[in-house]
């Protein structure tokens, strides 16, 4: 595919079988554990695929699309977004290392670092997501990895990525970002100096809340090969059926993403005008403390954001969420249907100040924004 083609064109045409009489438009799914060899002499060749865990044509096509999306050297595929974070992390760290993790990182990433990594002798300390170049003060002699997530989970702070990667590169420290929010459509972290960009493909690429998947895109060959070895050792294979669903999702991800992005911005801007709301945590909204940084590095938004409501009792927060009819109560985002959660019971921040009211997160689906707005309005009226 020509390099100068736009992403929408690449996502439509890349990763398909060569056209021929009667060829299907998409690669068929091949389910395999055993792969047969023609001759005994071929059994120990390492230039051919030898076993089901090594992937299929669908996996190869999917990996190529992620690599194209991020402009990387190569992509490794994982059975979930969390596995796409933990696998590459394990390929970088060794006992005795120290790593830095953003204080607004996704909860299970925090938990992995605090428990699993601790058990193998890797120390984690947290940094303020708005730290920028001052990250240099957090680095120790044994720091080998900085874990970024921008915007952060639940509270949506934006990092100064180039300032952080400049420091990391000077100290030869690997940087890995959880790039799930932007889908790689509105942020290209590898171009800002990040070494590894991770997607919970479960979200936008799955798009229908019915498949779990993950991908890690590597800027360079050395880190890619190390992570590939780790993935093989851990047996990190993904199902061909799931890979197919994600490849299928790639074909329509841009129009779905654009509609959800527009809906989330429209709802966020409307919520800014509501008396019941103290803060809207969406970096694409004017007045957000990281808006300028977001505008510099991102080309658009995402489908998920939070609001800080005016103080309510715990019972009324639950009443508000329960009163929503179109927003399902559930984790995740990027599916065709809208979701809402109250965040306070899971909000863990060591460094950030406490928010002045209850935090509620909205993930926008493909419904008409006017219906979603009316739904939130009637739910607000039940408690204010
Ligand atoms: C920001 C972020 N990263 C990673 C993950 C993990 O992805 P998965 O659910 O596919 O394991 C999630 C899931 O909610 C997420 O929100």
């Amino acid at each position: 595919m020509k390099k100068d083609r736009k992403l929408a064109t690449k996502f439509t045409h890349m990763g398909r079988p060569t056209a021929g009489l009667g060829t299907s438009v998409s690669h068929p799914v091949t389910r395999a554990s055993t792969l047969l060899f023609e001759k005994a002499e071929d059994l120990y060749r390492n230039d051919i695929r030898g076993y089901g865990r090594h992937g299929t044509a669908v996996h190869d096509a999917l990996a190529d699309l992620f690599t194209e999306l991020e402009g990387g050297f190569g992509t490794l595929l994982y059975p979930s977004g969390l596995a796409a974070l933990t696998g590459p992390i394990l390929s970088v760290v060794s006992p005795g290392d120290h790593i830095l993790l953003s204080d607004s990182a996704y909860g299970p990433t925090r938990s992995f670092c605090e428990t699993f990594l601790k058990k193998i002798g890797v120390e984690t300390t947290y940094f303020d997501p708005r730290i920028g170049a001052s990250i240099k003060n957090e680095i120790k002699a044994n720091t080998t990895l900085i874990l970024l997530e921008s915007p952060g989970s639940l509270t949506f702070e934006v990092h100064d990525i180039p300032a952080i990667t400049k420091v990391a590169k000077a100290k030869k420290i690997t940087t890995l970002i959880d790039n799930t929010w932007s889908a790689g459509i509105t942020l290209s972290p590898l171009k800002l100096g990040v070494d590894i960009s991770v997607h919970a493909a479960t979200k936008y690429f799955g798009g229908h809340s019915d498949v779990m998947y993950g991908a890690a895109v590597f800027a360079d060959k050395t880190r890619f090969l190390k992570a590939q070895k780790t993935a093989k050792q851990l047996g990190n294979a993904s199902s061909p059926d799931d890979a197919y669903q994600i490849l299928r999702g790639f074909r329509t991800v841009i129009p779905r993403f654009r509609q959800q992005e527009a809906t989330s911005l429209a709802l966020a801007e409307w919520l800014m005008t509501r008396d019941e709301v103290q803060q809207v945590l969406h970096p694409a909204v004017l007045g957000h403390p990281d808006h300028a940084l977001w505008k510099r590095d991102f080309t658009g938004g995402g489908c998920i954001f939070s609001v800080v409501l005016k103080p309510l009792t715990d019972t009324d927060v639950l009443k508000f969420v329960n009163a929503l009819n179109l927003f399902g109560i559930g984790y995740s985002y990027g599916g065709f249907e809208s979701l809402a959660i109250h965040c306070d019971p899971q909000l863990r921040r060591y460094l950030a100040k406490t928010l002045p009211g209850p935090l509620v997160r909205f993930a926008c689906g493909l419904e008409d924004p006017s219906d979603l707005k009316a739904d939130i309005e009637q739910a607000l009226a039940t408690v204010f």
Side-chain angles (χ1 to χ4, degrees), residues 7 11 69 151 179-187 199 203-205 207 249-265 282 294 298-304 333-336 364-366:
L7 276 186
F11 289 1
L69 165 71
N179 192 20
T180 303
W181 187 79
S182 87
I185 294 171
T186 57
L187 180 73
H199 292 272
K203 319 294 175 200
Y204 301 108
F205 296 96
F250 245 107
R251 306 300 179 203
T252 57
V253 72
I254 291 186
R256 287 187 285 106
F257 181 92
R258 290 298 178 207
Q259 183 174 330
Q260 289 168 293
E261 174 195 22
T263 300
S264 91
L265 191 57
H282 190 320
W294 166 82
F298 289 72
T299 58
C303 81
I304 186 166
Y333 58 99
F336 60 87
C364 301
L366 295 170

Side-chain angles (χ1 to χ4, degrees), residues 80-82 85 106 149 153 178 180 200 202-203 212-213 333:
S80 72
L82 185 58
L85 289 158
Y106 175 60
E149 188 180 323
S153 277
D178 185 330
T180 303
T202 306
K203 319 294 175 200
M212 312 282 308
Y213 214 76
Y333 58 99

Side-chain angles (χ1 to χ4, degrees), residues 97-129:
D97 284 358
H98 165 249
I99 70 167
L100 283 162
L101 174 60
S102 170
D103 199 27
S104 58
Y106 175 60
T109 309
R110 301 171 73 98
S111 157
F112 173 74
C113 294
E114 286 172 14
T115 55
F116 193 99
L117 290 188
K118 187 173 175 202
K119 199 170 74 179
I120 61 164
V122 176
E123 183 204 9
T124 303
T125 56
Y126 287 88
F127 66 88
D128 182 334

Side-chain angles (χ1 to χ4, degrees), residues 278-279 281 308-312 344 347 353-359:
Q278 298 194 72
Q279 291 175 17
L281 307 182
V308 182
L309 295 173
K310 291 252 172 81
L312 284 177
D344 297 302
L347 194 61
K353 62 179 179 339
T354 326
L355 295 166
L359 188 68

